[in-house]
Amino acid sequence: MTKKVAVIGGGAAGLMASYQAAVRGASVYLFERNPNLGRKILISGKGRCNLTNLKRVDEFIEYFPGNGKFLFSSLSTFSNRDLIAFFEKLGVKTKVERGGRVFPVSDKSLDVVKALQKAVTNAGVHIKYKSRITVEFPQN
């Protein structure tokens, strides 16, 4: 039986989650309340989309406010280098700038959004635009 997955929100995390679930065989529906995906990606890095940084995980975590150590496991499982390789596989060439910051060679965040949208579409994700989701939780 195929697993069914609903992802709420077509931002960076929603797109990545949708893609990963779909390539693992799930039937995925991505619900986005806006008429397009990745609105915040488009404005990130002043429109250039700072994808990641080349710092080691222990150095990278120091830049998170509060206790960033909780991210160590996640960032060790899917590292900054893994993310760069992922985008290169999608056709987004990257470059490294001052401070180890990684950007698309094109300097266009739209290229990142288009690559993610193509990836999820090719993986079979069903995208439902202009959709608002409400959830009622059972009372204890």
Side-chain angles (χ1 to χ4, degrees):
M1 177 190 241
T2 303
K3 291 190 179 197
K4 296 177 183 176
V5 174
V7 176
I8 301 170
L15 287 164
M16 292 293 285
S18 296
Y19 176 79
Q20 293 299 327
V23 298
R24 286 170 170 73
S27 175
V28 181
Y29 283 81
L30 172 59
F31 298 92
E32 171 55 47
R33 72 176 174 177
N34 294 304
N36 48 39
L37 300 171
R39 282 180 61 184
K40 290 183 182 175
I41 296 171
L42 292 172
I43 61 172
S44 68
K46 297 181 182 176
R48 295 174 53 215
C49 191
N50 182 352
L51 292 168
T52 189
N53 193 292
L54 287 184
K55 294 188 183 313
R56 291 188 333 257
V57 172
D58 58 328
E59 294 175 316
F60 191 66
I61 287 174
E62 291 176 19
Y63 288 88
F64 286 87
N67 184 8
K69 290 181 182 179
F70 77 94
L71 294 169
F72 190 82
S73 177
S74 297
L75 293 174
S76 296
T77 302
F78 188 78
S79 71
N80 51 0
R81 304 247 182 226
D82 294 329
L83 184 71
I84 293 166
F86 173 78
F87 278 106
E88 295 270 342
K89 179 180 160 193
L90 296 184
V92 178
K93 301 295 181 206
T94 60
K95 63 181 178 178
V96 180
E97 294 188 2
R98 175 181 47 85
R101 298 175 303 153
V102 179
F103 291 92
V105 168
S106 68
D107 284 330
K108 295 179 183 175
S109 58
L110 183 58
D111 292 346
V112 173
V113 173
K114 285 181 178 179
L116 287 169
Q117 185 170 2
K118 182 178 177 184
V120 298
T121 301
N122 289 346
V125 174
H126 306 279
I127 304 170
K128 302 295 182 186
Y129 295 99
K130 297 182 183 178
S131 298
R132 287 193 175 262
I133 303 297
T134 56
V135 178
E136 291 185 33
F137 291 98
Q139 299 294 321
N140 287 340

